[in-house]
């Protein structure tokens, strides 16, 4: 076909058709590299919402941003004025902020905004964008505020989508960040929010977390994003807190990788060389954990107006990291047992202090998954108490606290036996109304233009076939038993 073509004509042909080929590993050359292509927004992706809600935006940046700083307020508000904020992201912000802004006015705060954001998901998933990751992260966080069945699976399903976009964009590296948001820093901050969510869910469910390649180093959020200006001190304190929380998540991920290699083997190894290698890896992990503690990120004076919670959430995360690392070796010596015991006691005491002093809602700030994260931390503490003699008081205190937090757990089918007859936290129970058939309850949904799906309540979960409810429902002791244990 090229018999009568000139060299110039052939060059044009090759240049024009060169993309219609595959490379040595089979990748089609016409598929764009998401890290090198600036995707334009679709016309439906940026649209003025029914109303601008400065009150909800203020609530978001006051209550949520200090512990999950994936947005830049000045850039966000500038985009909002120019009607350039992706609508899916804006609705997700409104949904999550609604819980903190006059929640009593709405039986399920923010549900209409959540449904609106969900309806726009198909538009947001036409191409990999950081704004889509941010919206999905906030949607996942919103699930923490709406107790219903399916929380664990729904979270994992959305996280799988978010992980895919993060891998495409390589968000853990600033130089390869492609985002319509100003500055590569937001991409790194968003990646660590995803990593924290994915890691905590993976640990709890026994799954493999987001893979971090040792040959492709990650970058951490900038702990000192602004210099000098007085008005930036609060933002700097937020970023300083977030930097250390990300460092803790990073060490937890390394520990989990170490443990999975150790216990995923078909048979325990008795090879001296492998045991020596395991000890070296454990020593490196201990050094990484000690390095965080040595830098003293727990000074409450460092974190500004949200210092009380920031400092305590860092403490809890560090104590849990101690348990995660040393729990397999808890019977190997009194020193390790003491470390695990101290960590379990501190987790229980800190969460008890926050709960009974400031209320359950304050634990929704706890990164990365709010109430459910606290329940898991307490479960880890109970495990330690069970393994160490004379720990009945600590176990009773932790179990009683889980029984309290079960009212606000986002996964209702896990706790069918813990919410019966408990007094003192009735205000935290979800609002629901009787259905005409009297077989189960549904939440009352706020009116809006989008179609609402009723949210199944705890009563609904209890009337479902046992096949769709967690097969190993957790049975905690009654309060009479717990009080007797504490009095021993």
């Amino acid at each position: 076909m090229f018999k009568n073509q000139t060299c110039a004509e052939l060059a044009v042909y090759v240049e024009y058709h060169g993309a219609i080929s595959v490379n040595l590993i089979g990748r089609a050359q016409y598929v764009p590299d998401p890290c090198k292509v600036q995707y334009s927004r679709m016309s439906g992706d940026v649209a003025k919402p029914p109303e601008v809600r400065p009150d909800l935006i203020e609530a978001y940046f006051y209550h949520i941003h200090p512990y999950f700083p994936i947005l830049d307020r000045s850039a966000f508000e500038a985009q909002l004025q120019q009607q350039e904020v992706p609508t899916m992201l804006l609705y997700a912000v409104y949904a999550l902020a609604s819980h903190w802004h006059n929640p009593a006015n709405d039986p399920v705060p923010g549900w209409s905004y959540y449904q609106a954001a969900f309806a726009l998901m198909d538009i947001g998933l036409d191409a990999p964008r950081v704004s889509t990751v941010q919206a999905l992260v906030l949607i996942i966080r919103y699930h923490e505020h709406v107790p219903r069945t399916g929380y664990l699976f729904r979270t994992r399903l959305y996280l799988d989508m978010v992980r895919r976009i993060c891998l495409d964009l390589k968000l853990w590296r600033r130089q390869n960040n492609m985002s319509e948001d100003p500055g590569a820093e937001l991409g790194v901050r968003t990646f660590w929010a995803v990593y924290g969510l994915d890691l905590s869910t993976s640990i709890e469910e026994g799954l493999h977390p987001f893979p971090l390649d040792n040959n492709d180093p990650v970058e951490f959020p900038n702990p000192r994003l602004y210099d000098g200006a007085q008005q930036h001190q609060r933002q700097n304190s937020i970023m300083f807190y977030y930097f250390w929380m990300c460092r803790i998540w990073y060490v937890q991920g390394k520990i989990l990788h170490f443990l999975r290699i150790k216990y995923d083997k078909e048979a325990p190894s008795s090879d001296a060389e492998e045991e020596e290698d395991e000890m070296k890896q454990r020593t490196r992990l201990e050094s990484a954990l000690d390095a965080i503690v040595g830098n003293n990120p727990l000074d409450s004076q460092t974190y500004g107006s949200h210092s009380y919670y920031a400092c305590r959430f860092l403490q809890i995360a560090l104590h849990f990291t101690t348990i995660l690392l040393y729990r397999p070796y808890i019977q190997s010596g009194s020193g390790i047992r003491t470390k695990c015991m101290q960590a379990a006691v501190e987790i229980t005491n800190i969460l008890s202090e926050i709960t009974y002093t400031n209320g359950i809602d304050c634990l929704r700030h706890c990164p990365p998954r709010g109430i459910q994260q606290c329940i898991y931390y307490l479960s880890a503490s109970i495990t330690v108490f069970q393994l160490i003699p004379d720990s009945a008081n600590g176990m009773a205190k932790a179990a009683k606290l889980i029984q309290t937090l079960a009212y606000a757990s986002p996964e209702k089918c896990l706790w069918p036996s813990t919410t019966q007859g408990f007094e003192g936290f009735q205000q935290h129970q979800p609002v629901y109304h009787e259905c005409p058939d009297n077989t189960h309850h549904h939440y009352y949904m706020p009116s809006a233009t989008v179609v609402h799906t009723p949210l199944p309540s705890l009563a609904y979960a209890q009337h479902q076939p046992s096949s769709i409810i967690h097969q190993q429902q957790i049975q905690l002791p009654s309060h009479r038993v717990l009080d007797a244990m504490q009095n021993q």
Side-chain angles (χ1 to χ4, degrees):
M1 63 179 290
F2 300 119
K3 184 176 180 180
N4 298 320
Q5 303 296 318
T6 66
C7 290
E9 288 172 332
L10 287 175
V12 171
Y13 181 91
V14 172
E15 182 179 0
Y16 182 77
H17 295 280
I20 311 301
S21 62
V22 297
N23 66 10
L24 294 175
I25 61 172
R27 180 179 179 271
Q29 302 287 13
Y30 52 79
V31 176
D33 185 342
C35 292
K36 297 179 180 178
V37 177
Q38 177 66 62
Y39 289 97
S40 60
R41 300 186 181 96
M42 292 182 63
S43 59
D45 189 40
V46 179
K48 186 177 181 180
E51 58 179 331
V52 176
R53 295 289 305 272
D55 52 341
L56 292 180
I57 294 173
E58 181 65 32
Y60 174 88
F61 282 101
Y62 183 82
H63 290 285
I64 300 160
H65 177 75
Y67 310 98
F68 239 66
I70 63 175
L71 299 179
D72 181 273
R73 181 166 189 170
S74 59
F76 183 85
E77 292 180 341
Q79 289 179 330
L80 187 63
Q81 290 180 354
Q82 299 171 10
Q83 299 182 15
E84 293 184 350
V85 176
T87 313
M88 179 182 172
L89 175 60
L90 186 58
Y91 276 131
V93 168
Y94 286 173
L96 193 53
S98 294
H99 179 84
W100 303 101
H101 183 73
N102 297 326
N105 297 338
D106 197 342
V108 184
W111 180 252
S112 60
Y113 291 124
Y114 165 78
Q115 290 283 64
F118 185 85
L120 293 170
M121 189 178 299
D122 183 66
I123 296 176
L125 293 176
D126 68 312
R129 300 185 183 89
V130 174
S131 62
T132 303
V133 176
Q134 293 166 332
L136 287 171
V137 165
L138 297 183
I139 286 174
I140 293 170
R141 291 299 313 270
Y142 178 77
H143 294 162
E144 301 164 11
H145 301 276
V146 186
R148 52 177 174 163
T149 57
Y151 165 75
L152 295 177
F153 177 75
R154 191 177 290 108
T155 298
R156 170 57 53 193
L157 187 65
Y158 289 170
L159 277 173
D160 285 344
M161 289 191 292
V162 172
R163 284 173 52 163
R164 178 71 263 170
I165 302 176
C166 287
L167 286 170
D168 285 344
L169 295 177
K170 292 182 172 58
L171 288 185
W172 55 88
R173 298 189 307 195
R174 287 180 178 83
Q175 63 270 25
N176 283 338
N177 178 68
M178 288 298 298
S179 169
E180 61 266 35
D181 298 301
E185 181 68 21
L186 280 181
V188 174
R189 283 152 57 176
T190 302
F191 164 76
W192 281 105
V194 173
Y195 185 80
L197 284 167
D198 182 74
L199 177 68
S200 63
T201 304
S202 299
I203 294 175
E204 185 175 32
E205 298 186 47
L207 303 173
H208 288 278
F210 194 107
L212 290 180
D213 188 351
N214 291 330
N215 297 321
D216 190 9
V218 297
E219 299 182 31
F220 292 98
N222 187 349
R224 286 288 180 260
L225 194 58
Y226 304 103
D227 294 323
Q230 179 73 23
Q231 64 269 26
H232 291 150
Q233 285 187 358
R234 183 173 188 269
Q235 181 65 14
N236 275 337
S237 70
I238 290 172
M239 293 313 305
F240 189 76
Y241 154 81
Y242 192 57
F243 168 80
W244 284 111
M245 185 60 76
C246 294
R247 291 290 299 269
I248 294 172
W249 288 337
Y250 181 73
V251 173
Q252 288 179 0
K254 292 293 185 182
I255 295 173
L256 181 60
H257 179 71
F258 165 73
L259 294 176
R260 293 199 71 93
I261 292 177
K262 175 179 173 64
Y263 291 107
D264 281 351
K265 300 175 183 177
E266 294 183 359
S269 173
S270 58
D271 185 85
E273 185 175 341
E274 288 191 15
E275 291 181 0
E276 182 180 355
D277 183 63
E278 176 187 328
M279 183 59 65
K280 289 180 180 178
Q281 293 184 53
R282 188 182 124 188
T283 301
R284 285 195 293 268
L285 293 171
E286 290 174 342
S287 298
L289 180 58
D290 292 341
I292 295 177
V293 177
N295 279 279
N296 191 27
L298 305 178
D299 182 5
S300 62
Q301 302 301 317
T302 307
Y303 302 111
S305 59
H306 64 295
S307 61
Y308 175 84
Y309 297 114
C311 184
R312 279 154 182 79
F313 293 153
L314 285 173
Q315 287 178 319
I316 295 171
L318 275 173
H319 290 312
F320 168 71
T321 308
T322 299
I323 293 176
L324 186 65
L325 177 59
Y326 291 110
R327 181 251 185 273
Y329 309 97
I330 198 169
Q331 304 298 343
S332 62
S334 59
I336 290 180
R337 284 197 296 272
T338 299
K339 287 183 178 180
C340 290
M341 186 65 175
Q342 290 176 345
V345 169
E346 286 300 315
I347 288 174
T348 305
N349 288 342
I350 292 171
L351 289 176
S352 180
E353 172 194 324
I354 295 175
T355 301
Y356 296 118
T357 303
N358 301 297
I360 290 178
D361 258 6
C362 298
L363 294 180
R364 298 188 190 277
H365 293 307
C366 184
R369 293 185 302 137
I371 299 291
Q372 188 62 31
Q373 190 66 45
C374 296
I375 290 174
Y376 178 73
Y377 285 152
L378 288 167
S379 299
S381 298
I382 287 177
T383 302
V384 172
F385 293 138
Q386 290 174 332
L387 294 172
I388 297 179
D390 302 323
S391 302
N393 289 343
M395 186 166 65
K397 185 175 182 179
K400 196 169 186 177
L401 187 52
I402 287 182
Q403 209 164 25
T404 300
L405 298 183
Y407 274 125
S409 170
E411 180 59 275
K412 298 307 293 184
C413 71
L414 292 178
W415 312 99
S417 64
T418 60
T419 56
Q420 305 300 322
F422 187 81
E423 310 230 355
F425 285 85
Q426 297 295 333
Q427 67 271 26
H428 295 286
Q429 294 192 85
V431 178
Y432 52 80
H433 297 275
E434 194 75 17
C435 290
D437 59 2
N438 292 324
T439 58
H440 58 268
H441 297 83
H442 285 301
Y443 284 91
Y444 172 76
M445 293 292 100
S447 61
T449 56
V450 295
V451 178
H452 296 301
T453 303
L455 299 179
S457 67
L458 174 60
Y460 175 78
Q462 290 174 329
H463 284 86
Q464 294 303 302
S466 58
S467 60
I468 67 171
I469 298 181
H470 199 279
Q471 294 182 356
Q472 294 182 341
Q473 295 173 343
I474 300 174
Q475 303 290 330
L476 294 179
S478 67
H479 276 267
R480 183 169 52 187
V481 174
L482 295 174
D483 289 337
M485 292 172 66
Q486 284 186 308
N487 293 329
Q488 289 178 353

